[in-house]
Amino acid sequence: MSRHQGSSGKGKSSGRGHSKMGAADSGRGSAKPKNKSFARGNAPLKKVSKDTTKPSYDKKAPSKKTHSDEIRLNKYIANSGICSRRDADLHISTGNVTVNGKIVSEMGYKVKLDDDVRFDGARINPEKKAYVLLNKPKGFATTASEGKGRTVMDLVANATTSRIKPIGRLGRNSLGLILFTNDDDLMQKFTNSKKGVPRVFQIELDKNLKFEDLKKIQDGLNIEGKFVSVEEISFVEGQAKNLIGLKIKNTGSTIIRSIFDHLHYEIVSLDCVAIAGLTKKDIPRGHWKHLTEQEINTLKMLP
């Protein structure tokens, strides 16, 4: 009888053949070849179910691509405080909502935060209203655009998570107050070309301002075919005649420079010291503050 036949007969074997075979089969010297333990990598394959309706455990279903800056339109409307999500769906289905000028009636439609979303014709904003007043130092451009070097947005980066923008402009080397907000209604009030909101500037010139030139500014000037007027202008009491106080309803400082350029004066420094009654009190240069409820209400009550 061969060695192999002896081990597969009645379960008996003798000699070294059995001990070698047993050690190879079990790894523990067992004489029972049926009770095999499998070394790493030698485990038997598991039977795979033929039911193809169930997903395989080792495969992940493809995830749907989403954009983190997109939200559902009904949530956008609800966040703005207009109504609940359920009511928003009703308004969407009846065509009361537009996105970037087009009526949207599709349920589940997604929009970006900077899309122009209007409810019954009025633009809405899903972010919490924020009002930040900055005392700008020199060397910062008044812009929300990137790639412009140091900007005022760097100074108010930690003021709020809402996407605020500056109202009006101050030149890079100009100083003073700038108001930031995401309140579109207030922004329109400030930038209204006919009404506007008054701002007070303290201006230092390279030489004393002649009284007749002060009178010209007070009466209004024609500069490059455009009539330019100010609310008030005066010498600063107790100071040299090259220090001027000027009140104007305009959101930019460029027009002020054009006034004095027209009369052959050079502006040494320009400082916005007040905006619609808001002042720099308790705001050091380069710092900001949130407006109080009373200050916000006062701004909203302006004509």
Side-chain angles (χ1 to χ4, degrees):
M1 182 184 296
S2 68
R3 185 179 300 174
H4 176 70
Q5 288 174 332
S7 63
S8 59
K10 297 181 180 181
K12 295 180 181 180
S13 63
S14 62
R16 289 177 293 178
H18 169 70
S19 61
K20 287 183 179 179
M21 193 67 176
D25 285 348
S26 68
R28 295 181 182 179
S30 171
K32 296 180 180 180
K34 291 184 180 181
N35 296 332
K36 294 182 179 181
S37 66
F38 297 91
R40 184 178 300 173
N42 295 326
L45 295 175
K46 293 182 179 179
K47 292 183 179 180
V48 180
S49 173
K50 294 183 180 180
D51 186 358
T52 57
T53 61
K54 296 181 180 180
S56 174
Y57 289 105
D58 60 348
K59 293 183 180 179
K60 294 182 179 179
S63 58
K64 185 178 179 181
K65 291 183 180 180
T66 58
H67 299 282
S68 59
D69 60 342
E70 291 184 346
I71 62 174
R72 287 181 177 270
L73 182 56
N74 62 352
K75 182 179 180 181
Y76 187 106
I77 296 171
N79 288 354
S80 70
I82 297 291
C83 59
S84 66
R85 286 198 197 185
R86 180 175 295 180
D87 289 340
D89 284 333
L90 294 175
H91 289 289
I92 293 169
S93 64
T94 54
N96 292 337
V97 180
T98 63
V99 178
N100 299 326
K102 296 181 180 180
I103 295 175
V104 173
S105 56
E106 175 187 342
M107 294 296 103
Y109 188 86
K110 290 188 176 182
V111 295
K112 295 182 179 181
L113 291 177
D114 56 358
D115 282 338
D116 185 334
V117 179
R118 295 180 182 266
F119 184 91
D120 283 339
R123 187 168 184 177
I124 59 177
N125 191 326
E127 295 179 321
K128 181 180 179 180
K129 296 291 190 297
Y131 308 84
V132 177
L133 189 63
L134 169 71
N135 186 358
K136 175 189 173 301
K138 284 186 178 182
F140 290 84
T142 307
T143 179
S145 302
E146 297 180 356
K148 300 293 184 179
R150 296 192 304 174
T151 73
V152 292
M153 300 307 298
D154 298 324
L155 298 172
V156 297
N158 297 323
T160 176
T161 56
S162 297
R163 296 174 303 157
I164 54 176
K165 295 180 180 179
I167 300 179
R169 286 179 175 272
L170 284 179
R172 187 179 291 273
N173 291 320
S174 298
L175 309 167
L177 297 177
I178 300 178
L179 180 62
F180 296 75
T181 187
N182 59 343
D183 187 332
D184 290 332
D185 292 335
L186 185 63
M187 193 169 290
Q188 290 178 9
K189 181 178 292 188
F190 268 73
T191 56
N192 188 303
S193 59
K194 293 182 178 179
K195 295 183 179 179
V197 174
R199 300 198 298 170
V200 178
F201 292 86
Q202 184 169 292
I203 303 164
E204 182 184 355
L205 302 175
D206 63 331
K207 56 188 175 183
N208 290 344
L209 179 65
K210 296 177 182 178
F211 181 78
E212 55 266 32
D213 287 337
L214 183 143
K215 190 70 167 62
K216 288 178 183 178
I217 297 173
Q218 200 169 45
D219 295 338
L221 297 166
N222 280 300
I223 303 176
E224 297 180 354
K226 183 178 180 181
F227 183 73
V228 178
S229 63
V230 302
E231 296 290 305
E232 298 176 22
I233 184 171
S234 63
F235 296 108
V236 177
E237 187 176 353
Q239 300 293 326
K241 299 302 182 183
N242 69 327
L243 199 60
I244 312 300
L246 184 145
K247 184 177 183 181
I248 187 172
K249 285 186 176 181
N250 190 282
T251 56
S253 57
T254 304
I255 190 66
I256 298 175
R257 294 188 179 277
S258 65
I259 290 173
F260 290 99
D261 285 344
H262 182 74
L263 297 172
H264 308 293
Y265 293 90
E266 182 180 341
I267 294 179
V268 177
S269 67
L270 187 146
D271 191 351
C272 181
V273 296
I275 299 177
L278 302 173
T279 69
K280 298 190 294 182
K281 183 181 179 182
D282 300 327
I283 311 178
R285 193 79 72 192
H287 290 70
W288 51 265
K289 77 163 190 173
H290 290 285
L291 297 190
T292 64
E293 287 296 327
Q294 183 177 349
E295 289 171 332
I296 295 170
N297 292 333
T298 300
L299 291 179
K300 290 182 175 180
M301 291 173 63
L302 291 172

